[in-house]
Amino acid sequence: PLHCYTCGELVGAQLPFNGAPAAAQLLLYATVPGDSVQAPLELFAPIITTFLVEQSERHAAHHFVVEAPDMPPLVLWLFQPLVELVVAPPVKHYVASKILYHEADASMGAVDAVSIYMGHSHARLLHRLLLDSSEWSTPSRLGPWMVGWLPRT
C-alpha cells in the first residue's frame, strides 16, 4: 500500500514488476479530503460510483469488498449501474447506481469480490451515504442485503 506522507491516509498501491515496486496505482477516491477537511459529498459519491462502474465494465466484477482499518468489511453489489430516480419531497431527479450492501461476517465464508482498500474516514462516509439513501426506496432490504443508491453525476 501507498500512504500519504503528510497524514498517513491510504492513497494507492505499489504494482510490482519482477518482484520490485515499479509503478503506483492511485486510488481515485483517495484524493477526497479525509478527517481534517469535510469531504464534499457531491464529489465523493460520483467518484466511488464511477470507480465501481469502471471495474464492472473492465473486469465483469459486480461484487466489491470495502476494507478499512478498525471497521468490518462492507460487501457491495453493483446491482444496477444506471438508474433514473425521482425522490420527493421536494422533487429531485437523480441519475444513480443501485447498490446492494451489507457488512461481512465470518458466517459468509470467502467472498469472490474485488477488494477496495479505503481509509477509515472514507469508508465511514461511504457507509453513511448508503444508509441515508436506503430511505429512498421500498423495500429497503432484499434478503440480507440493504438497498442503497450512489449518485452517478
Side-chain angles (χ1 to χ4, degrees):
L2 291 175
H3 296 275
C4 174
Y5 181 77
T6 305
C7 68
E9 190 73 31
L10 182 69
V11 294
Q14 294 178 11
L15 303 177
F17 180 74
N18 290 336
Q25 177 186 17
L26 296 180
L27 302 174
L28 296 177
Y29 54 79
T31 60
V32 177
D35 289 329
S36 61
V37 178
Q38 180 62 40
L41 297 180
E42 64 275 1
L43 174 64
F44 181 76
I47 289 174
I48 294 294
T49 307
T50 300
F51 178 78
L52 296 176
V53 171
E54 284 178 356
Q55 294 301 307
S56 171
E57 291 171 352
R58 287 184 185 161
H59 307 293
H62 300 283
H63 291 85
F64 303 88
V65 176
V66 176
E67 298 182 47
D70 303 321
M71 289 185 69
L74 185 65
V75 180
L76 307 178
W77 177 5
L78 182 62
F79 191 71
Q80 289 178 303
L82 183 62
V83 178
E84 291 188 34
L85 294 173
V86 178
V87 180
V91 175
K92 291 184 180 182
H93 295 269
Y94 291 99
V95 176
S97 290
K98 185 175 187 177
I99 309 285
L100 303 183
Y101 67 97
H102 64 83
E103 289 184 0
D105 60 22
S107 67
M108 288 178 47
V111 177
D112 185 22
V114 174
S115 291
I116 303 172
Y117 299 96
M118 289 189 184
H120 183 81
S121 61
H122 294 113
R124 191 175 61 235
L125 177 60
L126 175 61
H127 196 220
R128 193 185 86 215
L129 287 170
L130 289 168
L131 282 172
D132 291 349
S133 69
S134 292
E135 299 172 4
W136 296 355
S137 66
T138 304
S140 62
R141 293 189 79 87
L142 291 172
W145 298 90
M146 294 286 294
V147 178
W149 307 87
L150 290 176
R152 293 281 305 258
T153 55

